[in-house]
Amino acid sequence: MGEFTMPSLGADMDEGTLVEWLVGPGDLIRRGDPVAVIETAKSTIEVECFESGAMGRLLVEPGTTVPVGTPLALIEPAAEGRGEPERARKAQGKPQAPPAPEHARPARTSKPSPARTPVPSGGRDRGHVGAGPLIRRLAEQSGVDLTALDGSGPAGRVTRADIERAAAATTAARPSRIRATPLARRRAAELGVDLSAVTGTGKDSAIRAEDVSKAASGHAAAPPPPRRTTAAVRASHPPEDQASGMRQVIARLMTRANRDIPHYYLSTTVDMATAMDWLHDHNRRSPMSERLLPAALLLKAAALAAHEVPELNGFWTDDRFAAAQDIHLGVAVSLRGGGLVAPALHRADTLGLPELMTALKDLVSRARTGRLRGSEVSDATITVTHLGDQGVETVFGVIHPPQVALVGFGRVVDRPCAVDGLLGVRPVVTATLSADHRATDGAVGARYLTTLDRLLQNPEKL
Amino acid sequence: MNAVATEGTKTTYREAMREALREALRSDDRVFLMGEDVGRYGGCFGVSLGLLEEFGPDRVRDTPLSESAFVGAGIGAALAGMRPVVEIMTVNFSLLALDQLLNNAATLLHMSGGQLPVPLVIRMTTGAGRQLAAQHSHSLEGFYAHIPGIRVLAPATLEDARHMLAPALADPDPVVVFEHGSLYNASGELLPPTAPVDLDHAAIRRPGTDISLITYGGSLPKARAAADELAAEGIDAEVIDLRTLRPLDGATVTASVARTHRAVIVDEAWRTGSLAAEVSARIAEESFYDLDAPVERVCSAEVPIPYARQLEEAALPQTADIVAAAHRAVD
Amino acid sequence: MNRTDALNVVKESIAQVIPDADLATLGPDEAFRDALEMDSLDFLTYIEILGERTGMRIDDEDTPQLTTLSGSADFLVAHGR
């Protein structure tokens, strides 16, 4: 029996408002499924649960504001193939089969309840089951709940045939397992792709990571599926409240950054001629839905450079630098009503450009519609701000604590420059780095920008 | 054969080994070499040729044909403060000394509460490919890598052959060094060491992005050749040389699989219960969510190694088998 | 496609990208990217939606003609079947 509690979605969060339940009592959930929408002073976020099981009682009504750590709902261990919590409670004291692993998919579809045979008659004490050790073992193996069976043997004893019948009914009600590699499953979960809709190209039609990426870039343009809301009413603050709340959070965080972090700033001009030629060529050859923006190249290069200079990818905590294992690239997104969030593109260094573009579109659109997930809000290990769209050429940003670096890109502009001893006009971009001098020195920052420049000169390798 | 191999010159694996022994004998009076035919005959595979003449019979000692006796003597000498290097002719014969190694050398430090270290180095030839048949050709490195309390090394390059012995002698635990018979004649430019050899880490011999070929010892040249063939087909293979079989460096393997998402393990031992099985299990434990294809293993056929050339070739992992396994994982 | 249809497609596509866009106050020759605070990602999405709805392929070099309502509508009329 576990609890789903109000999570902490940032260093400055002490309370949150439950806006909406995405699941109801009895729904099967898997670790990582979004189960509720939480509103903080800063934004609205879909929160994932940390354990698998069946949703039990919901303890908090939508619209309620509670401190971090408050239990919001109970999570019960789930018996395989069944989603009825009251049964799970009855079966306590007996070993429970773990939930069947199925493909990562938000558990928002209602579970088919398996046909059971025969119909239990009332009046019998359900706590006692007339069944010997063999029957108990068979029941356990096939995930059949003995307390839900009426035995067809003498004196209502459960027979092997009863177990087989019940197990067959349970199996028939379960979706057949999809053949997909572990990496493909992980990527599908990250990109929100439903594996049942993906065609596999691997051995025996297994779905591979590449198939998921292709499916993701294809479906990104489709509108998001309609949401099933358990709560009919969405509680929400009026917009001016929301904005001022967000301003206060940003104000606190940036004050802390400027007070605690001794920033140093570096800047370099990167020749983008090769990259832009490659990009235009790629876009000419690609379907419209697979077009790339310069931002995709810049973000990928920033992530790869962080991989090569890991001293800038991580956190300054407890007076020391802790390098992060993966590169989760925070992307600064300005919100239309004012304000700013910097959600994470997970493992950005491992995404191909089309995947990265898809993930970026998805992330920005969810940031602006208040549909970010908790892990996206808190996972970033290094952040990029790209103010080129506002027409500026250089941005020296403020680091987002506890990260130790922020990369800035301005607009790609045509400038006269010396090329092979002659004066030429080339597209260039100013790349800047704001870095925490406690964690690194200028030499490391310089290595980062040099690496970034080198990577952008070989766009086909990004 | 008597030419002194110096760094920066062309040398062979055999000469690099000999030079490492010569350096050890010169630099520390406690070091001595013993084993069957290491003295007057110059070693069954010619590694210690000329060392008897240079250092005399006290430092280079021929022994009777009893692995249990001379390995036991080596353990005793190590306990008494010497730094013995014991040569066993082939891994097949080392089983006669397995009791000494497992029940004495590997346990004494533990059983004495840290008072009795056994700083012993045991060298032996391993592997097949030279028509020496079923009693001289097996690869039993995995037997030894199973034993806690010892360190197991498999030098596969000229550099490791030349520079692994000194840190092995400095290690307070018993160290077993496996020299694959097919490597002795490997020749090339021996580069001066950039840093002291680190016995705790695997080496990435060829970086790549599409698949990890994980191997050690005598299979390394085959894995490298497979990587070259794959490169010609547009598949960029990473080649990892485990180098130290115990303690196994899992972190390098995990990091590689995180980059390539696919793995082929090449091990000349029999597949069942092999070191390849251990590496495969670790990948399943540590890298499950990074895998985009099942792990492949290329091992020897589960038969006593045949004498006939074609049969022996058919029984061992070959470059073509590695290429085929990589295709199964990538295509 | 006539110009009225084209203008409707343009406006609907913009509304899909920026749901709360106030198109009534937008002049036909006004650069709507600035007026509506469209960033490059939004503009790319707008171009994609236009392409999807009309079945036309719009290349990078066409996009300068598509920065105003009337420019976009003219482009659709000129390139439509």
Side-chain angles (χ1 to χ4, degrees):
Chain A
M1 174 73 69
E3 285 177 344
F4 171 65
T5 55
M6 174 62 73
S8 171
L9 300 167
D12 298 320
M13 172 174 167
D14 41 27
E15 61 177 25
T17 307
L18 174 74
V19 176
E20 182 188 342
W21 283 110
L22 300 174
V23 293
D27 282 355
L28 281 188
I29 50 171
R30 296 182 64 257
R31 186 191 157 95
D33 286 345
V35 295
V37 179
I38 303 287
E39 190 172 32
T40 68
K42 210 169 161 173
S43 55
T44 312
I45 288 158
E46 286 190 4
V47 178
E48 304 103 321
C49 61
F50 285 102
E51 54 185 302
S52 304
M55 281 309 279
R57 209 149 44 88
L58 306 181
L59 307 172
V60 171
E61 285 293 310
T64 321
T65 302
V66 296
V68 166
T70 309
L72 303 176
L74 300 177
I75 295 176
E76 323 218 0
E80 194 174 343
R82 289 173 18 321
E84 289 138 297
E86 59 274 21
R87 290 240 175 270
R89 266 199 295 279
K90 279 210 188 87
Q92 263 175 27
K94 298 204 303 86
Q96 292 272 358
E102 45 176 359
H103 52 274
R105 200 176 44 183
R108 274 184 244 143
T109 50
S110 54
K111 288 291 294 182
S113 62
R116 277 195 310 269
T117 51
V119 181
S121 59
R124 191 149 64 79
D125 172 16
R126 289 225 151 277
H128 173 77
V129 176
L134 169 67
I135 296 299
R136 284 178 187 280
R137 197 187 75 201
L138 288 175
E140 202 178 310
Q141 281 172 346
S142 48
V144 169
D145 178 6
L146 277 177
T147 57
L149 284 188
D150 258 16
S152 61
R157 270 182 184 281
V158 177
T159 66
R160 281 165 64 182
D162 294 337
I163 299 278
E164 279 162 21
R165 261 202 306 277
T170 313
T171 317
R174 223 181 298 141
S176 64
R177 183 172 162 84
I178 291 172
R179 279 180 71 84
T181 67
L183 180 67
R185 285 177 194 281
R186 190 183 89 191
R187 198 157 287 174
E190 283 166 0
L191 299 172
V193 172
D194 177 0
L195 280 175
S196 60
V198 179
T199 314
T201 60
K203 190 169 177 288
D204 300 330
S205 302
I207 297 170
R208 299 193 288 181
E210 203 182 334
D211 304 326
V212 174
S213 307
K214 282 207 181 96
S217 51
H219 90 147
R227 257 162 216 300
R228 199 197 71 172
T229 42
T230 322
V233 186
R234 285 192 48 123
S236 185
H237 295 304
E240 61 275 13
D241 258 351
Q242 174 89 21
S244 69
M246 174 176 276
R247 279 282 28 119
Q248 294 206 341
V249 170
I250 296 174
R252 272 202 300 269
L253 196 66
M254 292 296 110
T255 305
R256 188 176 125 199
N258 231 23
R259 186 189 58 221
D260 294 348
I261 303 180
H263 287 63
Y264 67 85
Y265 303 98
L266 303 173
S267 163
T268 194
T269 304
V270 179
D271 182 340
M272 289 291 283
T274 316
M276 296 305 278
D277 286 351
W278 181 87
L279 185 82
H280 290 313
D281 187 53
H282 168 92
N283 286 352
R284 252 194 303 277
R285 286 184 288 105
S286 302
M288 287 181 63
S289 60
E290 287 173 28
R291 257 176 231 194
L292 299 174
L293 289 173
L297 300 184
L298 298 174
L299 289 172
K300 181 70 191 284
L304 285 175
H307 182 85
E308 289 193 37
V309 187
E311 298 95 321
L312 295 174
N313 185 62
F315 309 105
W316 182 267
T317 41
D318 306 329
D319 288 333
R320 50 179 284 280
F321 172 68
Q325 274 217 299
D326 292 310
I327 291 157
H328 302 312
L329 201 64
V331 181
V333 179
S334 60
L335 305 183
R336 293 204 199 289
L340 177 75
V341 283
L345 271 178
H346 285 113
R347 295 188 182 78
D349 59 319
T350 66
L351 300 177
L353 287 173
E355 289 172 287
L356 189 142
M357 192 71 207
T358 303
L360 179 67
K361 285 182 194 167
D362 174 54
L363 195 68
V364 170
S365 87
R366 283 190 295 106
R368 287 183 175 153
T369 50
R371 285 293 182 188
L372 289 172
R373 305 206 173 100
S375 57
E376 288 165 339
V377 175
S378 49
D379 280 358
T381 56
I382 179 169
T383 298
V384 174
T385 180
H386 179 222
L387 287 181
D389 285 332
Q390 273 71 23
V392 301
E393 284 184 37
T394 311
V395 46
F396 288 108
V398 179
I399 298 168
H400 190 114
Q403 295 166 37
V404 299
L406 179 125
V407 185
F409 291 109
R411 193 158 47 113
V412 179
V413 286
D414 285 344
R415 285 284 174 268
C417 52
V419 184
D420 300 332
L422 295 172
L423 201 58
V425 173
R426 314 273 282 194
V428 298
V429 72
T430 306
T432 60
L433 176 77
S434 313
D436 184 337
H437 216 320
R438 295 170 304 178
T440 63
D441 306 322
V444 172
R447 189 148 48 88
Y448 179 87
L449 286 183
T450 317
T451 305
L452 190 71
D453 188 343
R454 175 170 52 75
L455 290 163
L456 284 165
Q457 300 318 313
N458 295 293
E460 72 285 353
K461 290 193 183 147
L462 287 173
Chain B
M1 284 298 270
N2 254 328
V4 175
T6 51
E7 282 164 11
T9 55
K10 206 161 162 53
T11 185
T12 64
Y13 183 98
R14 174 183 290 107
E15 286 162 358
M17 277 284 172
R18 185 184 310 137
E19 195 52 31
L21 284 165
R22 183 180 277 122
E23 178 192 50
L25 287 159
R26 271 192 195 143
S27 59
D28 187 344
D29 287 346
R30 296 170 304 171
V31 173
F32 68 96
L33 173 68
M34 70 172 162
E36 293 158 357
D37 291 334
V38 298
R40 270 176 299 179
Y41 185 67
C44 185
F45 296 94
V47 171
S48 49
L49 208 66
L51 296 183
L52 173 67
E53 290 76 2
E54 186 173 347
F55 296 99
D58 282 354
R59 313 276 317 276
V60 182
R61 309 172 73 100
D62 282 313
T63 64
L65 292 187
S66 174
E67 283 75 9
S68 177
F70 66 76
V71 171
I75 294 169
L79 285 169
M82 301 294 279
R83 293 285 180 276
V85 179
V86 175
E87 177 178 309
I88 299 176
M89 199 178 287
T90 79
V91 67
N92 290 60
F93 311 150
S94 74
L95 299 182
L96 292 158
L98 192 55
D99 162 64
Q100 289 284 11
L101 188 79
L102 171 60
N103 287 321
N104 293 328
T107 58
L108 285 169
L109 185 69
H110 165 86
M111 290 172 73
S112 65
Q115 297 177 84
L116 297 176
V118 185
L120 162 76
V121 172
I122 299 177
R123 298 174 40 242
M124 64 182 92
T125 302
T126 184
R130 292 154 300 136
Q131 282 198 274
L132 296 176
Q135 293 170 320
H136 299 68
S137 301
H138 288 141
S139 290
L140 306 181
E141 292 89 325
F143 284 30
Y144 291 87
H146 183 62
I147 304 171
I150 64 171
R151 182 184 282 277
V152 180
L153 305 178
T157 63
L158 296 178
E159 287 72 27
D160 282 354
R162 174 63 186 84
H163 298 293
M164 266 187 172
L165 185 64
L169 278 163
D171 192 314
D173 288 323
V175 178
V176 183
V177 183
F178 287 98
E179 302 163 16
H180 197 284
S182 69
L183 294 173
Y184 285 126
N185 292 330
S187 65
E189 185 84 12
L190 178 66
L191 303 167
T194 44
V197 167
D198 144 35
L199 296 184
D200 291 324
H201 290 99
I204 296 174
R205 299 295 183 199
R206 180 188 196 286
T209 54
D210 295 337
I211 188 162
S212 303
L213 308 181
I214 302 157
T215 188
Y216 66 90
S219 299
L220 177 64
K222 294 173 179 173
R224 275 183 160 157
D228 291 343
E229 276 190 41
L230 289 165
E233 297 164 15
I235 297 172
D236 186 15
E238 180 147 298
V239 177
I240 294 190
D241 174 6
L242 293 171
R243 301 170 75 234
T244 297
L245 310 185
R246 179 174 196 100
L248 204 55
D249 172 14
T252 297
V253 173
T254 306
S256 176
V257 174
R259 284 189 299 271
T260 64
H261 307 300
R262 298 170 191 91
V264 175
I265 305 156
V266 186
D267 181 358
E268 200 179 289
W270 295 299
R271 171 188 302 259
T272 306
S274 59
L275 198 67
E278 173 63 25
V279 174
S280 176
R282 289 195 188 202
I283 292 173
E285 289 162 355
E286 305 291 330
S287 312
F288 183 79
Y289 291 103
D290 287 314
L291 285 175
D292 204 20
V295 172
E296 294 277 347
R297 283 189 285 159
V298 181
C299 300
S300 285
E302 307 219 342
V303 295
I305 299 293
Y307 166 74
R309 179 177 298 282
Q310 305 88 318
L311 291 179
E312 184 181 43
E313 280 174 10
L316 299 177
Q318 302 295 358
T319 302
D321 304 325
I322 303 170
V323 171
H327 274 294
R328 283 197 297 276
V330 173
D331 294 344
Chain C
M1 139 164 6
N2 66 33
R3 202 161 185 295
T4 316
D5 292 344
L7 201 57
N8 281 335
V9 170
V10 169
K11 286 182 174 173
E12 284 164 17
S13 304
I14 293 176
Q16 242 179 292
V17 181
I18 303 184
D20 48 2
D22 183 7
L23 297 174
T25 58
L26 198 62
D29 295 315
E30 199 176 345
F32 57 73
R33 280 188 64 170
D34 295 340
L36 303 174
E37 289 184 12
M38 256 196 189
D39 62 19
S40 51
L41 209 55
D42 298 326
F43 186 67
L44 182 76
T45 312
Y46 162 70
I47 297 292
E48 265 180 43
I49 292 173
L50 270 192
E52 264 174 48
R53 293 181 64 141
T54 59
M56 287 179 207
R57 182 180 169 88
I58 305 170
D59 279 310
D60 281 359
E61 35 286 3
D62 302 328
T63 52
Q65 303 171 51
L66 296 158
T67 51
T68 63
L69 290 178
S70 63
S72 301
D74 291 345
F75 181 89
L76 294 188
V77 171
H79 293 75
R81 286 173 301 280

